[in-house]
Amino acid sequence: MFTKTKVAALGAVAAIALTACSSDDGGDTADVAASDFPEGSTMAALAEAGSITIGTKFDQPLFGLVGPDGVPVGFDVNIGTIIAGELGIAPEDITWTETVSANREPFIEGGQVDIVVATYTINDDRKEKVSFAGPYYNAGQSLMVLADNTDITGPDDLAGMNVCSVEGSTPAANIMENYPDANLELFGAYTDCLEPLRNGQVDVVTTDNVILAGYVDDSDGEFAIAGEPFTEEPYGIGLAREDDEFRDWINDVLEEIFEDGRWLEAWNADGSAGTVLPEPEVPSVDRYEN
Ligand code: GLU
């Protein structure tokens, strides 16, 4: 059942790529050549190599959730697949590397990944180390509790509560800075917080609303979202800090797919965010100065 969903999702992404190319310039993915890009650019190098390594989450339903065959499914995965397609790289030539929250900047800086598409909030601290194309989606920090917990309705209720989040994430940083009376427990990935929530070891899990929505959806009524989102988390595509040419090109691709419907198709594909979440507003790309 799980495998079938994934195969269907991959089919949907392949269909997106095909639609895009036929409506675009009449060519198909295989027609993209390194010579279509400026000499010496990252785009030319990736197109020439015919492969790309993309960092994404492996344990976040709707955005990046890996199955037994090692191929992740979700909105981030679909966005990464579209970018690869624009470089002439087929889905099967993408290497998906798991990036947890804390290793995204190091993996980009160390060259272990070419790009990161991983519920990755664009912010000033991170911009010192990496560069961001996007945003391609705007999320917000929220809280998840056991469904029968009515005591917690927002971040002001967190004093004295055991709160679970993830090292290197913006929600964890926000709790440390603005809600210091919460007892924050940090793990490596958000799924590490689920059993502690179930067995009462923690009272709350906090991260972006859309990540929590995936866990609530999978929980059979056990978990619920408490209150409304209380931060802005614009999701960007992380890449090497100095590579403005690559960033501009990814921003161009994003603007194109916002416009031609591929972004929304990626949202609504099998296993992706639109199966649970409402249709988002189209974001505006932020071509910030370094
Ligand atoms: N968007 C937030 C961040 O980038 C939380 C989600 C995550 O950790 O991936 O830190």
PDB file of all heavy atoms in Angstrom, residues 57 60 101 104 118-121 126 168-171 190 207-208 211 233 235, ligand 1:
ATOM      1  N   LYS A  57      14.206  16.127   3.879  1.00  0.00           N
ATOM      2  CA  LYS A  57      13.828  15.382   5.075  1.00  0.00           C
ATOM      3  C   LYS A  57      13.354  13.985   4.654  1.00  0.00           C
ATOM      4  O   LYS A  57      12.815  13.806   3.567  1.00  0.00           O
ATOM      5  CB  LYS A  57      12.714  16.119   5.828  1.00  0.00           C
ATOM      6  CG  LYS A  57      13.127  17.485   6.363  1.00  0.00           C
ATOM      7  CD  LYS A  57      14.249  17.336   7.382  1.00  0.00           C
ATOM      8  CE  LYS A  57      14.582  18.683   8.021  1.00  0.00           C
ATOM      9  NZ  LYS A  57      13.689  19.058   9.098  1.00  0.00           N
ATOM     10  N   GLN A  60       9.255  13.392   7.301  1.00  0.00           N
ATOM     11  CA  GLN A  60       8.198  14.388   7.395  1.00  0.00           C
ATOM     12  C   GLN A  60       7.142  14.143   6.312  1.00  0.00           C
ATOM     13  O   GLN A  60       7.335  14.519   5.152  1.00  0.00           O
ATOM     14  CB  GLN A  60       8.801  15.801   7.273  1.00  0.00           C
ATOM     15  CG  GLN A  60       9.703  16.129   8.447  1.00  0.00           C
ATOM     16  CD  GLN A  60      10.340  17.517   8.371  1.00  0.00           C
ATOM     17  OE1 GLN A  60      11.182  17.843   9.186  1.00  0.00           O
ATOM     18  NE2 GLN A  60       9.932  18.322   7.403  1.00  0.00           N
ATOM     19  N   SER A 101      17.506  18.854  10.469  1.00  0.00           N
ATOM     20  CA  SER A 101      17.546  20.318  10.600  1.00  0.00           C
ATOM     21  C   SER A 101      18.967  20.841  10.810  1.00  0.00           C
ATOM     22  O   SER A 101      19.374  21.829  10.203  1.00  0.00           O
ATOM     23  CB  SER A 101      16.637  20.755  11.739  1.00  0.00           C
ATOM     24  OG  SER A 101      15.325  20.303  11.485  1.00  0.00           O
ATOM     25  N   ARG A 104      21.860  20.908   7.618  1.00  0.00           N
ATOM     26  CA  ARG A 104      21.605  21.499   6.301  1.00  0.00           C
ATOM     27  C   ARG A 104      22.712  22.463   5.886  1.00  0.00           C
ATOM     28  O   ARG A 104      23.263  22.330   4.778  1.00  0.00           O
ATOM     29  CB  ARG A 104      20.227  22.175   6.282  1.00  0.00           C
ATOM     30  CG  ARG A 104      19.103  21.149   6.357  1.00  0.00           C
ATOM     31  CD  ARG A 104      17.736  21.781   6.515  1.00  0.00           C
ATOM     32  NE  ARG A 104      17.572  22.446   7.810  1.00  0.00           N
ATOM     33  CZ  ARG A 104      16.391  22.824   8.289  1.00  0.00           C
ATOM     34  NH1 ARG A 104      15.289  22.621   7.597  1.00  0.00           N
ATOM     35  NH2 ARG A 104      16.319  23.416   9.463  1.00  0.00           N
ATOM     36  N   ALA A 118      14.064  21.253   2.105  1.00  0.00           N
ATOM     37  CA  ALA A 118      13.801  20.494   3.343  1.00  0.00           C
ATOM     38  C   ALA A 118      13.123  21.362   4.400  1.00  0.00           C
ATOM     39  O   ALA A 118      13.711  21.612   5.458  1.00  0.00           O
ATOM     40  CB  ALA A 118      15.112  19.920   3.886  1.00  0.00           C
ATOM     41  N   THR A 119      11.924  21.831   4.109  1.00  0.00           N
ATOM     42  CA  THR A 119      11.184  22.695   5.058  1.00  0.00           C
ATOM     43  C   THR A 119      12.139  23.690   5.720  1.00  0.00           C
ATOM     44  O   THR A 119      12.119  23.886   6.928  1.00  0.00           O
ATOM     45  CB  THR A 119      10.426  21.869   6.126  1.00  0.00           C
ATOM     46  OG1 THR A 119      11.334  21.067   6.898  1.00  0.00           O
ATOM     47  CG2 THR A 119       9.360  20.987   5.507  1.00  0.00           C
ATOM     48  N   TYR A 120      12.934  24.361   4.883  1.00  0.00           N
ATOM     49  CA  TYR A 120      14.123  25.091   5.321  1.00  0.00           C
ATOM     50  C   TYR A 120      13.811  26.586   5.370  1.00  0.00           C
ATOM     51  O   TYR A 120      13.723  27.250   4.335  1.00  0.00           O
ATOM     52  CB  TYR A 120      15.222  24.790   4.307  1.00  0.00           C
ATOM     53  CG  TYR A 120      16.648  25.086   4.689  1.00  0.00           C
ATOM     54  CD1 TYR A 120      17.003  25.428   5.977  1.00  0.00           C
ATOM     55  CD2 TYR A 120      17.648  24.978   3.718  1.00  0.00           C
ATOM     56  CE1 TYR A 120      18.336  25.665   6.298  1.00  0.00           C
ATOM     57  CE2 TYR A 120      18.974  25.206   4.024  1.00  0.00           C
ATOM     58  CZ  TYR A 120      19.312  25.556   5.313  1.00  0.00           C
ATOM     59  OH  TYR A 120      20.626  25.787   5.626  1.00  0.00           O
ATOM     60  N   THR A 121      13.647  27.111   6.573  1.00  0.00           N
ATOM     61  CA  THR A 121      13.306  28.525   6.731  1.00  0.00           C
ATOM     62  C   THR A 121      14.462  29.438   6.328  1.00  0.00           C
ATOM     63  O   THR A 121      15.598  29.254   6.768  1.00  0.00           O
ATOM     64  CB  THR A 121      12.925  28.812   8.200  1.00  0.00           C
ATOM     65  OG1 THR A 121      11.742  28.076   8.501  1.00  0.00           O
ATOM     66  CG2 THR A 121      12.693  30.301   8.446  1.00  0.00           C
ATOM     67  N   ARG A 126      21.163  32.059   8.881  1.00  0.00           N
ATOM     68  CA  ARG A 126      21.520  31.034   7.884  1.00  0.00           C
ATOM     69  C   ARG A 126      22.095  31.657   6.618  1.00  0.00           C
ATOM     70  O   ARG A 126      22.956  31.058   5.964  1.00  0.00           O
ATOM     71  CB  ARG A 126      20.292  30.173   7.573  1.00  0.00           C
ATOM     72  CG  ARG A 126      19.884  29.309   8.765  1.00  0.00           C
ATOM     73  CD  ARG A 126      18.565  28.596   8.541  1.00  0.00           C
ATOM     74  NE  ARG A 126      18.244  27.732   9.673  1.00  0.00           N
ATOM     75  CZ  ARG A 126      17.060  27.161   9.852  1.00  0.00           C
ATOM     76  NH1 ARG A 126      16.096  27.346   8.973  1.00  0.00           N
ATOM     77  NH2 ARG A 126      16.847  26.394  10.904  1.00  0.00           N
ATOM     78  N   GLY A 168      18.983  22.709  15.916  1.00  0.00           N
ATOM     79  CA  GLY A 168      19.278  23.428  14.669  1.00  0.00           C
ATOM     80  C   GLY A 168      18.050  23.916  13.940  1.00  0.00           C
ATOM     81  O   GLY A 168      18.151  24.322  12.780  1.00  0.00           O
ATOM     82  N   SER A 169      16.892  23.906  14.590  1.00  0.00           N
ATOM     83  CA  SER A 169      15.670  24.366  13.917  1.00  0.00           C
ATOM     84  C   SER A 169      15.273  25.751  14.422  1.00  0.00           C
ATOM     85  O   SER A 169      15.596  26.128  15.556  1.00  0.00           O
ATOM     86  CB  SER A 169      14.515  23.386  14.166  1.00  0.00           C
ATOM     87  OG  SER A 169      14.074  23.457  15.512  1.00  0.00           O
ATOM     88  N   THR A 170      14.548  26.492  13.604  1.00  0.00           N
ATOM     89  CA  THR A 170      14.078  27.821  14.025  1.00  0.00           C
ATOM     90  C   THR A 170      13.029  27.724  15.137  1.00  0.00           C
ATOM     91  O   THR A 170      13.035  28.579  16.028  1.00  0.00           O
ATOM     92  CB  THR A 170      13.539  28.628  12.832  1.00  0.00           C
ATOM     93  OG1 THR A 170      12.585  27.838  12.130  1.00  0.00           O
ATOM     94  CG2 THR A 170      14.651  29.016  11.887  1.00  0.00           C
ATOM     95  N   PRO A 171      12.125  26.724  15.150  1.00  0.00           N
ATOM     96  CA  PRO A 171      11.171  26.647  16.264  1.00  0.00           C
ATOM     97  C   PRO A 171      11.874  26.443  17.608  1.00  0.00           C
ATOM     98  O   PRO A 171      11.471  27.041  18.623  1.00  0.00           O
ATOM     99  CB  PRO A 171      10.296  25.436  15.907  1.00  0.00           C
ATOM    100  CG  PRO A 171      10.398  25.322  14.425  1.00  0.00           C
ATOM    101  CD  PRO A 171      11.793  25.752  14.085  1.00  0.00           C
ATOM    102  N   TYR A 190      12.159  15.290  13.956  1.00  0.00           N
ATOM    103  CA  TYR A 190      10.855  15.474  14.610  1.00  0.00           C
ATOM    104  C   TYR A 190      10.183  14.162  14.995  1.00  0.00           C
ATOM    105  O   TYR A 190       9.445  14.108  15.977  1.00  0.00           O
ATOM    106  CB  TYR A 190       9.931  16.339  13.735  1.00  0.00           C
ATOM    107  CG  TYR A 190      10.482  17.734  13.618  1.00  0.00           C
ATOM    108  CD1 TYR A 190      11.051  18.188  12.438  1.00  0.00           C
ATOM    109  CD2 TYR A 190      10.508  18.579  14.723  1.00  0.00           C
ATOM    110  CE1 TYR A 190      11.601  19.454  12.349  1.00  0.00           C
ATOM    111  CE2 TYR A 190      11.062  19.841  14.645  1.00  0.00           C
ATOM    112  CZ  TYR A 190      11.607  20.272  13.455  1.00  0.00           C
ATOM    113  OH  TYR A 190      12.159  21.525  13.390  1.00  0.00           O
ATOM    114  N   THR A 207       7.017  22.603  15.954  1.00  0.00           N
ATOM    115  CA  THR A 207       7.729  22.913  14.703  1.00  0.00           C
ATOM    116  C   THR A 207       6.713  23.597  13.785  1.00  0.00           C
ATOM    117  O   THR A 207       5.675  24.089  14.259  1.00  0.00           O
ATOM    118  CB  THR A 207       8.395  21.688  14.060  1.00  0.00           C
ATOM    119  OG1 THR A 207       9.132  22.165  12.917  1.00  0.00           O
ATOM    120  CG2 THR A 207       7.431  20.608  13.621  1.00  0.00           C
ATOM    121  N   ASP A 208       6.981  23.585  12.486  1.00  0.00           N
ATOM    122  CA  ASP A 208       6.070  24.276  11.564  1.00  0.00           C
ATOM    123  C   ASP A 208       4.721  23.576  11.500  1.00  0.00           C
ATOM    124  O   ASP A 208       4.632  22.336  11.535  1.00  0.00           O
ATOM    125  CB  ASP A 208       6.695  24.321  10.167  1.00  0.00           C
ATOM    126  CG  ASP A 208       8.015  25.063  10.171  1.00  0.00           C
ATOM    127  OD1 ASP A 208       8.237  25.873  11.098  1.00  0.00           O
ATOM    128  OD2 ASP A 208       8.831  24.827   9.260  1.00  0.00           O
ATOM    129  N   ILE A 211       4.335  20.625   9.047  1.00  0.00           N
ATOM    130  CA  ILE A 211       5.005  19.371   9.430  1.00  0.00           C
ATOM    131  C   ILE A 211       4.127  18.655  10.460  1.00  0.00           C
ATOM    132  O   ILE A 211       3.852  17.450  10.348  1.00  0.00           O
ATOM    133  CB  ILE A 211       6.407  19.658  10.008  1.00  0.00           C
ATOM    134  CG1 ILE A 211       7.283  20.352   8.966  1.00  0.00           C
ATOM    135  CG2 ILE A 211       7.053  18.373  10.519  1.00  0.00           C
ATOM    136  CD1 ILE A 211       8.621  20.853   9.491  1.00  0.00           C
ATOM    137  N   GLU A 233       7.600  31.289   8.647  1.00  0.00           N
ATOM    138  CA  GLU A 233       8.681  30.382   8.244  1.00  0.00           C
ATOM    139  C   GLU A 233       8.656  30.244   6.717  1.00  0.00           C
ATOM    140  O   GLU A 233       8.057  29.321   6.173  1.00  0.00           O
ATOM    141  CB  GLU A 233       8.493  28.999   8.882  1.00  0.00           C
ATOM    142  CG  GLU A 233       8.299  28.974  10.398  1.00  0.00           C
ATOM    143  CD  GLU A 233       9.552  29.336  11.203  1.00  0.00           C
ATOM    144  OE1 GLU A 233      10.675  29.109  10.712  1.00  0.00           O
ATOM    145  OE2 GLU A 233       9.383  29.855  12.328  1.00  0.00           O
ATOM    146  N   TYR A 235       9.865  29.054   3.341  1.00  0.00           N
ATOM    147  CA  TYR A 235      10.718  27.934   2.931  1.00  0.00           C
ATOM    148  C   TYR A 235      11.527  28.289   1.679  1.00  0.00           C
ATOM    149  O   TYR A 235      10.969  28.653   0.640  1.00  0.00           O
ATOM    150  CB  TYR A 235       9.872  26.697   2.611  1.00  0.00           C
ATOM    151  CG  TYR A 235       9.278  25.995   3.825  1.00  0.00           C
ATOM    152  CD1 TYR A 235       8.410  24.922   3.640  1.00  0.00           C
ATOM    153  CD2 TYR A 235       9.583  26.383   5.125  1.00  0.00           C
ATOM    154  CE1 TYR A 235       7.856  24.250   4.729  1.00  0.00           C
ATOM    155  CE2 TYR A 235       9.034  25.721   6.221  1.00  0.00           C
ATOM    156  CZ  TYR A 235       8.172  24.661   6.011  1.00  0.00           C
ATOM    157  OH  TYR A 235       7.629  23.999   7.087  1.00  0.00           O
TER     158      TYR A 235
HETATM  159  N1  GLU B   1      11.310  25.510   9.069  1.00  0.00           N
HETATM  160  C1  GLU B   1      11.998  25.335  10.295  1.00  0.00           C
HETATM  161  C2  GLU B   1      13.505  25.272  10.110  1.00  0.00           C
HETATM  162  O1  GLU B   1      13.960  25.391   9.046  1.00  0.00           O
HETATM  163  C3  GLU B   1      11.511  24.101  11.037  1.00  0.00           C
HETATM  164  C4  GLU B   1      11.427  22.865  10.229  1.00  0.00           C
HETATM  165  C5  GLU B   1      12.723  22.116  10.133  1.00  0.00           C
HETATM  166  O2  GLU B   1      13.442  22.022  11.142  1.00  0.00           O
HETATM  167  O3  GLU B   1      12.994  21.608   9.056  1.00  0.00           O
HETATM  168  O4  GLU B   1      14.240  25.130  11.049  1.00  0.00           O
END
